[in-house]
Amino acid sequence: MVQQTCVSAQTILLDRKTNEITAEYLKDIDNNLTIDDILNDNYGFQPIADSSIDDLDASYWIRLDFQNEINTLETQQLWRLRTLHFSEAILFYQHNGAIEQKAFGKFNSPERRLSFKYSNGVAFNTSDLIENRYLYLKIKAHLTPKGVEFSYTPNDSNRFFTHYYTSSDLKVISLHQVFLGACLIFFLTFLVIYFKVLKLEFLFYSLYVLCLGIYLGGFYISVSLPDTKFGYWLIVVSQVAINIFYVLFAIHYLETKKNYPGLHTLLVLIIPILLAVILSDFIAFRLDKYSVKLYILNFQRFLMTLFGLLSMLYLLFRAKDKLAYFIVIGSFSYMAGALGLLFTNNQYLMIVGGVVEILLFSWGLAYKIKREYEAKLTLQQEVSLKEISALQSQMNPHFIFNSLNSIQHLIIQNDKVSALNYLSKFAKITRNVLESSHMAMVPLTEEINLLKSYLELESLRFDNSFDYTIEIDKTLILNILKFP
């Protein structure tokens, strides 16, 4: 790609000056007229206006009249016709007495577009004029153009459109590219978090952010991907993918199946509807039915706007915790930006709404992690308390006090040997109890040893006043059998 240069607007605005051309149009509803039909039959061309090109499925023939521009055209040999980014466009011109054609539309131009913002236009010579007066265009638009005009400039001056950016151009381009870059960072960050914690809300949120970045910044990824029909379709349809991953994110983030069963049913129902929208849109795209395609996408926008409003109202009044408020406020910000884009065609509004929503959802996920971490700590504390309680229940306080009193009695009686023996056996029992308290299952051998130690201790306490025996079935495998 030719390196672009940033130049102040005052420096190059004069160099970007173009001469407007008188243009007339003819609508070809059936897409079957040829250049021979146009030249040989007396079709009635009409003056073109901003709203003339309004049928996305029809072809339009444009007749450019250079009658009043001949003197200017004679000053140079090569000129450049400048138009909007029409999806498909063909220039018909005269060469060596024959009518030839040259493609220059968005999707069928042999020239690679050099600028993110401006089209390359199409070159023509003064001798290319048909009847020394006209050039003809056949165009199709996949989106309704905002204003239609045709102009021309010297071919050398065309580089001020394709090779330079003014500061105002860069404001538009950099905003989209910075937003796309930020979305990619968020995408990778939350994707890594997903692989760490394996919670689906992080996966769907990362994919949601990725699709949002592609939709709002995709036309500034490269000047090659958006200039292919399929690449263009992918970027446009990513707005539906945004809604799919948003719904999946909300389901897992709010745990709607458990907390909001009524809303969960609607959320699960909306996913196959959105998938059907993508499939229908793709079929219309493959059949070149762009008016149907526009209707499908507008239906999706209306459906999700209505569904979003109802869902936000439901959560606003039925919220069970703060997690719902992150969803409500973030969704409202994004919806406001989306509606602003729809009615004003100002992408800044949707970018701002998207940024606010991304930040709110990120904070919401961080809050959920913090809440789950605190719940885990509380659970661990409860488990510890139960373990202590279980230990206390195993070590009968009366037994401990009786044992200590017995040791004290032996010391007072100056029976050091018995006192040491008693203390040793008491320590052994205490150690065994403490060790077994951390085990879910205890082998039978340890239970028998603990019982022997207890009986020996009690026998010492009562001056060997009783005898005992422990009988064990010889068929038992003591090291394998375990008890809770």
Side-chain angles (χ1 to χ4, degrees):
M1 178 177 176
V2 178
Q3 184 177 2
Q4 303 287 326
T5 306
C6 177
V7 182
S8 66
Q10 292 180 345
T11 304
I12 68 171
L13 279 180
L14 290 178
D15 294 309
R16 283 183 176 177
K17 184 178 180 181
T18 60
N19 297 318
E20 292 190 14
I21 312 167
T22 301
E24 298 175 309
Y25 80 99
L26 172 68
K27 184 176 180 179
D28 181 9
I29 299 177
D30 298 325
N31 296 297
N32 57 9
L33 292 180
T34 66
I35 185 62
D36 292 331
D37 296 330
I38 297 297
L39 295 177
N40 296 329
D41 296 331
N42 187 22
Y43 287 99
F45 279 81
Q46 303 177 20
I48 197 166
D50 289 345
S51 59
S52 298
I53 301 176
D54 55 0
D55 190 338
L56 303 183
D57 296 329
S59 295
Y60 288 84
W61 287 88
I62 308 296
R63 183 169 64 188
L64 304 178
D65 190 349
F66 287 87
Q67 183 178 25
N68 298 326
E69 306 295 326
I70 298 299
N71 292 335
T72 303
L73 292 178
E74 289 177 349
T75 60
Q76 294 193 39
Q77 182 65 24
L78 190 60
W79 298 86
R80 180 73 61 156
L81 178 67
R82 299 206 53 80
T83 69
L84 299 174
H85 289 306
F86 291 112
S87 304
E88 300 174 29
I90 301 174
L91 171 67
F92 293 91
Y93 62 97
Q94 179 177 277
H95 183 68
N96 294 331
I99 302 298
E100 296 189 4
Q101 65 184 49
K102 184 187 301 182
F104 70 99
K106 185 179 181 67
F107 299 141
N108 58 0
S109 175
E111 293 184 279
R112 184 170 182 267
R113 185 157 58 95
L114 302 177
S115 171
F116 284 121
K117 188 173 182 180
Y118 299 100
S119 67
N120 291 341
V122 58
F124 69 96
N125 293 312
T126 304
S127 59
D128 292 339
L129 298 182
I130 298 173
E131 300 177 3
N132 295 319
R133 179 175 178 179
Y134 299 113
L135 288 177
Y136 289 88
L137 306 177
K138 184 180 182 180
I139 62 175
K140 292 190 70 173
H142 292 171
L143 290 174
T144 304
K146 304 297 181 180
V148 180
E149 63 179 29
F150 299 89
S151 60
Y152 69 99
T153 189
N155 190 63
D156 290 340
S157 299
N158 196 58
R159 71 182 188 276
F160 293 104
F161 290 94
T162 58
H163 290 60
Y164 295 91
Y165 290 135
T166 65
S167 56
S168 59
D169 294 335
L170 285 179
K171 286 180 182 178
V172 176
I173 297 169
S174 60
L175 175 65
H176 290 81
Q177 291 189 333
V178 168
F179 178 77
L180 175 60
C183 287
L184 290 176
I185 293 173
F186 273 92
F187 162 70
L188 293 174
T189 300
F190 284 96
L191 189 63
V192 170
I193 294 175
Y194 163 71
F195 286 114
K196 289 288 185 181
V197 301
L198 297 179
K199 290 184 177 294
L200 287 174
E201 55 262 44
F202 290 94
L203 173 63
F204 293 129
Y205 179 71
S206 66
L207 294 173
Y208 160 78
V209 172
L210 176 65
C211 291
L212 184 61
I214 291 174
Y215 179 58
L216 294 180
F219 291 105
Y220 299 91
I221 297 174
S222 164
V223 292
S224 56
L225 176 63
D227 284 351
T228 64
K229 292 185 72 172
F230 185 70
Y232 178 83
W233 177 80
L234 282 178
I235 293 174
V236 172
V237 84
S238 62
Q239 61 184 290
V240 187
I242 289 172
N243 291 323
I244 291 176
F245 291 124
Y246 166 80
V247 170
L248 291 170
F249 162 72
I251 288 174
H252 292 85
Y253 174 74
L254 294 175
E255 299 179 22
T256 54
K257 187 175 183 179
K258 178 180 68 176
N259 297 323
Y260 307 97
L263 179 61
H264 178 78
T265 301
L266 292 177
L267 289 173
V268 171
L269 180 63
I270 206 72
I271 293 174
I273 295 176
L274 292 175
L275 291 174
V277 167
I278 292 179
L279 178 61
S280 302
D281 186 82
F282 181 74
I283 293 173
F285 162 75
R286 293 295 297 171
L287 297 175
D288 286 336
K289 299 296 183 180
Y290 287 92
S291 59
V292 175
K293 186 175 183 299
L294 181 62
Y295 173 80
I296 292 172
L297 292 179
N298 284 337
F299 164 76
Q300 181 261 165
R301 294 186 184 105
F302 172 78
L303 174 65
M304 292 308 299
T305 300
L306 180 61
F307 178 77
L309 287 173
L310 294 177
S311 299
M312 285 189 290
L313 289 174
Y314 176 84
L315 288 175
L316 195 61
F317 291 103
R318 297 291 184 90
K320 294 185 176 182
D321 51 38
K322 292 181 180 179
L323 295 179
Y325 295 117
F326 285 104
I327 286 284
V328 170
I329 300 174
S331 299
F332 177 80
S333 301
Y334 176 78
M335 185 178 296
L339 291 175
L341 171 63
L342 180 63
F343 292 110
T344 67
N345 200 38
N346 187 347
Q347 284 197 339
Y348 295 110
L349 298 176
M350 191 168 182
I351 288 177
V352 171
V355 168
V356 173
E357 184 183 54
I358 288 173
L359 293 176
L360 285 171
F361 284 179
S362 299
W363 290 335
L365 285 170
Y367 173 75
K368 186 176 184 181
I369 293 175
K370 176 177 177 292
R371 196 179 70 168
E372 291 179 349
Y373 175 74
E374 292 174 346
K376 185 178 180 180
L377 286 180
T378 302
L379 180 61
Q380 289 176 344
Q381 291 174 353
E382 292 177 355
V383 171
S384 298
L385 290 175
K386 289 181 179 179
E387 289 178 348
I388 295 173
S389 176
L391 179 61
Q392 289 175 343
S393 65
Q394 289 180 315
M395 293 290 291
N396 192 307
H398 294 289
F399 167 74
I400 296 174
F401 294 146
N402 290 337
S403 298
L404 293 176
N405 286 333
S406 298
I407 294 171
Q408 183 183 30
H409 175 72
L410 291 172
I411 293 174
I412 294 174
Q413 296 296 324
N414 203 25
D415 189 352
K416 296 180 180 179
V417 175
S418 297
L420 289 174
N421 190 20
Y422 199 104
L423 183 61
S424 175
K425 293 182 181 298
F426 176 74
K428 182 179 179 181
I429 290 176
T430 304
R431 184 183 65 187
N432 289 340
V433 171
L434 290 173
E435 288 178 350
S436 64
S437 66
H438 297 288
M439 301 170 62
M441 303 292 288
V442 179
L444 181 57
T445 53
E446 293 190 13
E447 283 292 312
I448 293 173
N449 291 334
L450 182 62
L451 179 59
K452 287 180 179 179
S453 298
Y454 174 76
L455 291 173
E456 290 174 0
L457 193 63
E458 289 297 289
S459 179
L460 285 174
R461 179 184 169 199
F462 293 103
D463 296 327
N464 298 315
S465 60
F466 66 89
D467 295 324
Y468 64 90
T469 58
I470 299 176
E471 296 181 359
I472 303 173
D473 190 341
K474 294 181 180 180
T475 61
L476 297 176
I477 304 176
L478 303 182
N479 291 328
I480 296 179
L481 289 175
K482 294 184 178 182
F483 296 90

